[in-house]
Amino acid sequence: IKASAGLNNLQILLPMISSVEEVDEALRFIHRAYAELLEEGEKVCMPRIGVMLEVPAAVIMAKTLADRVDFLSVGSKDLIQYILAVDRNNPRVASLYQAFHPAVIHTLANLAQELGNFNIDLSICGEMASDPVLAALLVGMGYRCLSMSAAALLRVKWVLRRLTLDEMQELVVIAQRCETAKECRLKVITRMRALGIGEAIAYKV
């Protein structure tokens, strides 16, 4: 907080939150540090505080967490891993780590819908947004802040600029009707190719 004096651009993101108590305790520490700096005469501002939604418990409690913090960020890599109970670093089961899994699609879509009425910033980070197909799905769900690698930026921007919001929302409807990850992937990509986005999608179907 002291290091941000004069800049006032500090944001603190709390990782691996699984309970409201953890957020409340962290907020107490942050507010205490802020108050101590004010007592010392430092000209500082209270930073924006956010929570990383990385475990199913945090997703289920998202609306309660939204009442306590300034922004929420979905940690897609860990969240997918915990939803599917798959260690993505274990070669024996890594193939079961599937971003197109219906459970993942429904979880992310429902989360964005539930938080739609909250005046809170909702972003998503991890590898999901680096995939132009998944990025289109995420925007269709309601996510407006996507974190991705610099290498993926141009391709994702190219795809998103060529799809309307209605078309991306249509992709979400298609995805939510699927029962398997393979079916979801196939139908969403097929529809995107029909919309003229095939050249930016390096998938075989």
Side-chain angles (χ1 to χ4, degrees):
I1 296 174
K2 186 175 181 179
S4 71
L7 300 174
N8 303 327
N9 60 356
L10 176 64
Q11 299 187 75
I12 298 176
L13 183 60
L14 306 175
M16 278 295 165
I17 293 297
S18 61
S19 69
V20 172
E21 291 88 349
E22 290 173 320
V23 176
D24 289 341
E25 184 175 10
L27 289 174
R28 281 196 295 272
F29 284 127
I30 295 169
H31 281 282
R32 183 196 301 174
Y34 173 65
E36 289 174 354
L37 287 172
L38 292 180
E39 290 177 1
E40 294 171 5
E42 298 288 346
K43 296 181 179 180
V44 294
C45 292
M46 183 65 188
R48 296 178 77 236
I49 311 298
V51 163
M52 183 75 88
L53 305 177
E54 296 173 277
V55 297
V59 172
I60 293 169
M61 298 298 294
K63 289 192 289 186
T64 302
L65 296 173
D67 285 330
R68 287 168 160 77
V69 296
D70 303 301
F71 64 98
L72 297 171
S73 182
V74 177
S76 61
K77 290 171 66 176
D78 282 320
L79 183 58
I80 293 172
Q81 176 172 272
Y82 292 122
I83 289 175
L84 302 180
V86 172
D87 181 358
R88 63 181 184 272
N89 297 316
N90 185 336
R92 294 184 178 182
V93 295
S95 63
L96 299 176
Y97 180 90
Q98 301 168 324
F100 285 95
H101 193 290
V104 175
I105 298 298
H106 283 286
T107 297
L108 293 175
N110 292 340
L111 176 63
Q113 184 177 12
E114 284 187 0
L115 295 175
N117 295 327
F118 282 75
N119 184 26
I120 189 166
D121 293 332
L122 177 63
S123 63
I124 188 158
C125 67
E127 295 177 355
M128 277 194 80
S130 294
D131 182 317
V133 179
L134 291 168
L137 280 174
L138 291 168
V139 173
M141 292 174 186
Y143 295 89
R144 294 295 179 266
C145 183
L146 311 179
S147 174
M148 65 194 72
S149 64
L153 185 59
L154 291 179
R155 193 158 64 114
V156 171
K157 283 177 65 176
W158 189 93
V159 170
L160 296 183
R161 285 176 171 177
R162 283 158 178 78
L163 292 171
T164 67
L165 181 57
D166 286 343
E167 288 169 341
M168 287 186 275
Q169 290 173 339
E170 177 194 354
L171 294 176
V172 177
V173 173
I174 292 172
Q176 289 183 307
R177 290 174 178 166
C178 297
E179 296 180 350
T180 68
K182 184 177 180 179
E183 180 191 8
C184 178
R185 176 177 172 274
L186 172 62
K187 290 188 173 180
V188 172
I189 292 172
T190 299
R191 179 55 183 154
M192 290 182 72
R193 287 180 172 170
L195 292 170
I197 312 298
E199 61 188 279
I201 304 172
Y203 290 111
K204 293 180 180 180
V205 295

